[in-house]
């Protein structure tokens, strides 16, 4: 699930409905579309025999939407994380009915694709068991776009998925923050020694790992130092 958080594409209800007419009847459409967009970019929507619509994500995985009388259900499977979400009128607050993870996640092949696609960027690893990494995620959400480079956020492979989800829900963080780090190359680079950890890459190579909490000013200085980007 390659989603560079500074460049998320948030679809409008109209753009979704144009691709799948059944979605015109969707309850809590804004909340549903925001959740789907945070997971990935949908391909072509298809109507199924059971009155649901489904599509694959451009970056892999799939999502299905069930249109109910007073609620909408979203089921997705992507990069080792399976989600089932419910949005009920009138408040339309997202409710996580089921969440599970397998041995998928961000693998070596995903890292290779990332290093090939992007000239430079940052990989940030967090764990719900480390309060400072959660706090930094909340702070990063406020200034992520100002960093002007791709940022990939990955979850501790061994973290309790329910605890991670509670952090996501509590602080209204994007669902794709639940994507697990499962790359042996990142592990060999020291990514799992400490959480949080920030890894910098440039021109196809991992160049530096910085453990611990940074904050906006410190992270900007590190980006300038290791990537040569003035912010």
């Amino acid at each position: 699930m390659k989603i560079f958080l500074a460049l998320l594409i948030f679809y409008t209800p109209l753009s979704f409905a144009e691709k799948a007419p059944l979605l015109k009847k969707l309850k809590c459409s804004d909340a549903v579309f925001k959740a789907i967009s945070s997971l990935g970019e949908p391909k072509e929507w298809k109507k199924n025999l059971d009155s649901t619509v489904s599509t694959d994500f451009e970056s892999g995985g799939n999502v299905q939407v069930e249109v109910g009388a007073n609620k909408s259900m979203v089921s997705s499977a992507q990069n080792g994380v399976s989600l089932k979400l419910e949005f009920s009128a009138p408040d339309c607050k997202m409710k996580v009915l089921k969440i599970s993870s397998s041995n998928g996640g961000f693998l070596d092949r995903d890292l290779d694709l990332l290093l090939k696609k992007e000239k430079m960027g940052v990989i940030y690893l967090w764990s719900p068991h480390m309060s400072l990494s959660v706090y930094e995620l909340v702070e990063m959400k406020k200034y992520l776009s100002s960093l002007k480079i791709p940022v990939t956020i990955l979850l501790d492979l061994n973290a309790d998925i329910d605890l991670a989800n509670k952090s996501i829900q509590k602080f209204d963080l994007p669902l794709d923050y639940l994507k697990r780090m499962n790359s042996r190359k990142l592990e060999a680079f020291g990514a799992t020694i400490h959480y949080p950890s920030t890894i910098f890459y440039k021109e196809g190579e991992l160049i530096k790992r910085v453990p611990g909490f940074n904050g906006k000013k410190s992270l900007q200085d590190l980006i300038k130092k290791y990537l040569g980007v003035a912010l």
Side-chain angles (χ1 to χ4, degrees), residues 12-41:
T12 64
L14 179 60
S15 65
F16 270 102
E18 287 175 344
K19 294 185 178 182
L22 181 61
L23 294 181
K24 292 180 179 179
K25 302 177 182 179
L26 188 65
K27 295 293 183 181
C28 304
S29 58
D30 287 342
V32 171
F33 300 149
K34 181 178 179 180
I36 293 174
S37 295
S38 74
L39 292 170
E41 182 179 350

Side-chain angles (χ1 to χ4, degrees), residues 138-151:
V138 176
E139 291 299 300
M140 285 178 69
K141 181 183 176 183
K142 301 174 184 177
Y143 63 79
L144 207 55
S145 61
S146 68
L147 298 179
K148 301 178 183 178
I149 59 172
V151 178

Side-chain angles (χ1 to χ4, degrees), residues 63-153:
V63 62
Q64 177 177 285
V65 180
E66 179 182 345
V67 181
N70 295 302
K71 63 183 179 181
S72 299
M73 308 285 288
V74 176
S75 301
S76 73
Q78 193 177 41
N79 280 340
V81 178
S82 297
L83 289 168
K84 188 168 184 180
L85 312 174
E86 179 183 278
F87 302 82
S88 298
D91 61 4
C92 293
K93 185 176 181 179
M94 182 175 72
K95 181 179 180 181
V96 180
L97 300 181
K98 180 181 178 181
I99 180 170
S100 62
S101 60
S102 64
N103 293 326
F106 190 85
L107 304 169
D108 283 340
R109 65 171 179 264
D110 299 305
L111 177 63
D112 292 340
L113 288 172
L114 175 63
L115 297 180
K116 183 178 181 180
K117 180 179 179 181
E118 301 297 336
K119 184 177 180 181
M120 65 180 69
V122 169
I123 299 171
Y124 181 81
L125 296 105
W126 75 285
S127 171
H129 304 283
M130 303 295 287
S131 58
L132 275 180
S133 72
V134 177
Y135 175 75
E136 187 165 13
L137 271 186
V138 176
E139 291 299 300
M140 285 178 69
K141 181 183 176 183
K142 301 174 184 177
Y143 63 79
L144 207 55
S145 61
S146 68
L147 298 179
K148 301 178 183 178
I149 59 172
V151 178
T152 303
I153 295 181

